[in-house]
Amino acid sequence: MKLCHIDHLPDGASRGFDPHQVGQDTVLVVRQGARLFAYRDACPHHDTPMAWRKDAYLDGTGQHIVCAAHGAQFEITTGLCTLGPCLGESLTPVPLLIHHNGEVHLASNNILETPT
Ligand code: FES
């Protein structure tokens, strides 16, 4: 399932996607150079969406993913919460595939299912 072209993910920026068209973004992607990090757009604290406005998932420094609700901070590369009410918990990774033509796809269509 295609999300976008990598050229539409600026280096250092974050972006939300609604691949299953549920009416809100359910996947967040952060680009760092040639690497993409994707997670479910659901905070482990209350399982709520994380952006404070469309595509705004990072703190002011761009060094952490931050939850708008209560300010939890997460490492971009691991999804680990390093500050806030869900300290030690992690965002749920979403595997991506980057095709040779630059298209970014979900590796699985089941990203809305909570792992058991
Ligand atoms: S819901 Fe994210 S920090 Fe509380």
Side-chain angles (χ1 to χ4, degrees):
M1 183 175 288
K2 180 182 173 184
L3 293 182
C4 69
H5 193 279
I6 196 166
D7 288 348
H8 296 142
L9 289 165
D11 189 10
S14 61
R15 191 170 158 194
F17 295 92
D18 179 11
H20 297 291
Q21 303 193 344
V22 298
Q24 68 179 39
D25 290 339
T26 54
V27 178
L28 70 92
V29 179
V30 181
R31 179 173 178 181
Q32 288 191 331
R35 302 171 73 193
L36 301 180
F37 301 93
Y39 301 97
R40 284 184 63 221
D41 185 357
C43 181
H45 184 213
H46 283 168
D47 203 35
T48 52
M50 309 232 310
W52 53 275
R53 65 171 165 71
K54 173 68 180 149
D55 298 334
Y57 294 94
L58 302 179
D59 65 5
T61 68
Q63 298 303 303
H64 294 92
I65 298 167
V66 65
C67 176
H70 310 107
Q73 283 188 1
F74 303 85
E75 292 181 346
I76 292 172
T77 55
T78 67
L80 177 68
C81 179
T82 56
L83 183 73
C86 44
L87 184 67
E89 297 183 67
S90 294
L91 299 171
T92 302
V94 174
L96 300 179
L97 294 173
I98 305 174
H99 292 203
H100 291 303
N101 63 6
E103 288 185 357
V104 180
H105 290 248
L106 294 178
S108 163
N109 289 336
N110 297 325
I111 59 102
L112 296 183
E113 293 178 6
T114 304
T116 54

